[in-house]
Amino acid sequence: MTVQEYLDKHMLSRKIEDAVNAAVKSKSPDPVLFISNHMRKSVPSVITKIQARQILDSRGIPTVEVDLFTNKGMFRSSCPGGDPVGMYEASELRDGDKGVYLGNSVKRAVRNINEKISEALIGMDPTLQTQIDQAMIDLDKTEKKSELGANAILAVSIAACKAGAAEKQVPLYRHIAELAGRTDLTLPVPAFTVLSGGKHAGNNLALQDIMILPIGAIRFEEALQMGSETYHHLKAVITEKYGQYGCNFGEDGGFAPNISSFTEGLDLVKEAIHRTGYSERIKIAIDVAASNFCIGTKYDLDFKSPNKSGQNFKSGEDMIDMYKELCSDYPIVSIEDPFDKEDWEHVKYLSALGVCQVVGDDLLMSNPKRIERAIRESACNTFLLKVNQIGTVTEAIEVVKLAKDAQWGVITSHRCGETEDTFIADLSVGLCTGQIKAGAPCRGERLAKYNQLLRIEEELGDKAAYVGEDWRSL
């Protein structure tokens, strides 16, 4: 394209003339600066530069960070990491050299951004999210994004989304809503991790997380207060029962006292809720992550215990009976991954009982084909959205639409390896997911998301709508 063709395409000759006339009328003391600012606002942005680097996530493990530049500024994003990476999700690209970060370095993914993705995207309009994401998918040419790395592609996709919002001069959450064809905006119910077990903590508790949902709050600001107060009451409860050394932490910030049974953990959380005075306004959710302790067709609830008796193996039917009893004895409204990721029959049976929300995480892995199968077979009724499992903003929007069309619930979720990037907070508002899971109400990388939701609620003012009691009906 010649200079004249570029000027003609963007009508720049006319815009330059308008800028000069405006500068004359304004009698600006610095007409050059005035013209420059005027032109910056009127000329459409394009991606001018993309620069990636390796940083560390909340576990101290490398991940990808991207700076994407347009004439509106620089837009930064980073990709979270999970453990382990599931066989049905998009592939993280890691170097594999055990002598460098124990094989976890992401320098290859960084090079792919700086040398390949950058070349493909420079000159593109950042508001055209679908075209940007498709260009990276076409460049990769693999089903699981294993050539360039889903961690490379997602980091660029999120940075482009932020740049697109800036170009349109709208908040990020509103830009996401517009990309999804939505006009409504809602603040989600947070699922605060308060007690950790499974692979996220060094105790003997088999289930991975016990969470609280302040569905009785009026605003998100109040929900955050309720979560924080319960968390601190729980610390006191644990200290009283197990001493000051009982308040160890899991990866997501939940407390990890040396407990071994579901009921022991639930009793602690129930007592903490009681002490807050919010008993009828806070519900409980559990993330079982049962794939971690499934052996054949049995579930080993003592899989972390050094002194296994061999007596705590349960069948799928035993697990169903246990879940029914727990939901009867405690205010549990949601169970995530109650069975192994391939145990479709038992998860279908539990979903049909209707005793609580049944969430698919390892079962689905944000994979459209798995979600479509689960919808057809009525296996689970809620989808856990982890954007790095699918790899682009566009695909995340599409799978949320798929779930909502089936009248499923949707939970926007963090990962165990998080960064201070707050993108999922805006994503949850823009897509009206109704629920967000971002860890405990402590630790900077977790609070970054919750604090961003506070800012969004404040910005929306009277138009801010916290879903509260309607958390499952959006």
Side-chain angles (χ1 to χ4, degrees), residues 201-386:
N203 54 18
N204 293 327
L205 181 63
L207 70 77
Q208 189 157 279
D209 292 307
I210 298 178
M211 297 162 283
I212 56 170
L213 282 68
I215 64 172
I218 304 302
R219 293 173 53 81
F220 181 83
E221 181 181 20
E222 184 184 21
L224 185 58
Q225 176 186 334
M226 293 166 70
S228 175
E229 290 176 359
T230 306
Y231 184 81
H232 287 283
H233 276 293
L234 179 59
K235 181 178 181 180
V237 172
I238 293 170
T239 302
E240 290 168 13
K241 187 165 184 178
Y242 302 96
Q244 61 179 330
Y245 298 109
C247 292
N248 299 315
F249 294 96
E251 286 188 343
D252 299 343
F255 294 112
N258 191 25
I259 57 178
S260 57
S261 74
F262 288 30
T263 55
E264 190 176 2
L266 288 164
D267 284 339
L268 293 173
V269 175
K270 188 175 179 180
E271 173 60 22
I273 294 172
H274 173 71
R275 292 189 185 187
T276 65
Y278 298 133
S279 293
E280 299 303 317
R281 303 172 65 195
I282 294 179
K283 302 300 181 183
I284 294 175
I286 58 175
D287 176 7
V288 183
S291 293
N292 291 334
F293 54 88
C294 181
I295 301 174
T297 61
K298 300 288 187 179
Y299 294 89
D300 180 11
L301 300 189
D302 283 337
F303 86 106
K304 296 174 68 179
S305 174
N307 302 312
K308 290 192 201 182
S309 65
Q311 302 300 310
N312 211 7
F313 281 86
K314 291 187 178 292
S315 67
E317 291 75 16
D318 293 334
M319 296 289 282
I320 287 173
D321 289 340
M322 180 184 70
Y323 294 138
K324 288 165 62 179
E325 185 175 347
L326 290 175
C327 289
S328 175
D329 294 343
Y330 301 91
I332 294 173
V333 295
S334 179
I335 300 178
E336 180 180 332
D337 281 341
F339 302 99
D340 179 70
K341 63 181 177 295
E342 301 300 347
D343 192 347
W344 290 82
E345 293 309 310
H346 286 112
V347 77
K348 284 193 287 187
Y349 186 83
L350 182 63
S351 298
L353 290 177
V355 295
C356 67
Q357 171 178 264
V358 180
V359 184
D361 178 14
D362 292 339
L363 180 78
L364 305 176
M365 297 185 192
S366 302
N367 184 309
K369 293 179 181 178
R370 302 276 289 187
I371 296 170
E372 287 170 354
R373 176 183 173 182
I375 291 171
R376 284 196 311 271
E377 299 184 15
S378 299
C380 73
N381 50 41
T382 299
F383 153 53
L384 196 79
L385 171 65
K386 294 176 174 175

Side-chain angles (χ1 to χ4, degrees), residues 93 108 112 116 139-142 144-149:
L93 183 62
R108 289 168 60 202
N112 284 340
K116 297 178 181 179
L139 186 64
D140 180 88
K141 296 185 176 69
T142 67
K144 296 176 66 176
K145 303 178 177 67
S146 55
E147 178 66 27
L148 299 175

Side-chain angles (χ1 to χ4, degrees), residues 35-283:
I35 292 170
S36 175
N37 290 337
H38 192 282
M39 289 298 296
R40 178 173 293 185
K41 293 177 181 178
S42 61
V43 176
S45 283
V46 295
I47 297 171
T48 58
K49 178 182 176 182
I50 302 175
Q51 181 68 43
R53 66 185 63 83
Q54 176 174 276
I55 62 170
L56 298 184
D57 68 19
S58 59
R59 304 165 297 176
I61 294 175
T63 191
V64 178
E65 181 176 80
V66 167
D67 293 345
L68 184 146
F69 296 81
T70 72
N71 68 312
K72 291 291 192 298
M74 183 272 284
F75 305 92
R76 177 170 292 163
S77 71
S78 51
C79 182
D83 179 34
V85 176
M87 62 186 295
Y88 299 109
E89 66 180 272
S91 299
E92 287 182 338
L93 183 62
R94 296 193 181 273
D95 300 347
D97 181 352
K98 296 297 183 180
V100 181
Y101 283 112
L102 308 180
N104 290 314
S105 178
V106 292
K107 289 295 182 68
R108 289 168 60 202
V110 168
R111 281 198 303 273
N112 284 340
I113 294 171
N114 292 338
E115 296 173 6
K116 297 178 181 179
I117 293 176
S118 177
E119 181 179 349
L121 300 190
I122 285 176
M124 293 189 72
D125 181 343
T127 64
L128 303 179
Q129 187 74 41
T130 302
Q131 287 90 324
I132 289 170
D133 290 342
Q134 191 61 50
M136 291 190 284
I137 291 169
D138 293 343
L139 186 64
D140 180 88
K141 296 185 176 69
T142 67
E143 183 179 357
K144 296 176 66 176
K145 303 178 177 67
S146 55
E147 178 66 27
L148 299 175
N151 44 349
I153 291 172
L154 178 65
V156 175
S157 180
I158 293 174
C161 192
K162 294 177 180 179
E167 173 63 18
K168 290 163 63 176
Q169 299 183 43
V170 298
L172 179 57
Y173 57 85
R174 194 169 296 281
H175 175 51
I176 292 169
E178 291 172 359
L179 290 174
R182 301 192 67 97
T183 56
D184 52 335
L185 299 167
T186 58
L187 277 297
V189 168
F192 295 111
T193 301
V194 291
L195 204 150
S196 296
K199 289 190 173 182
H200 284 183
N203 54 18
N204 293 327
L205 181 63
L207 70 77
Q208 189 157 279
D209 292 307
I210 298 178
M211 297 162 283
I212 56 170
L213 282 68
I215 64 172
I218 304 302
R219 293 173 53 81
F220 181 83
E221 181 181 20
E222 184 184 21
L224 185 58
Q225 176 186 334
M226 293 166 70
S228 175
E229 290 176 359
T230 306
Y231 184 81
H232 287 283
H233 276 293
L234 179 59
K235 181 178 181 180
V237 172
I238 293 170
T239 302
E240 290 168 13
K241 187 165 184 178
Y242 302 96
Q244 61 179 330
Y245 298 109
C247 292
N248 299 315
F249 294 96
E251 286 188 343
D252 299 343
F255 294 112
N258 191 25
I259 57 178
S260 57
S261 74
F262 288 30
T263 55
E264 190 176 2
L266 288 164
D267 284 339
L268 293 173
V269 175
K270 188 175 179 180
E271 173 60 22
I273 294 172
H274 173 71
R275 292 189 185 187
T276 65
Y278 298 133
S279 293
E280 299 303 317
R281 303 172 65 195
I282 294 179
K283 302 300 181 183

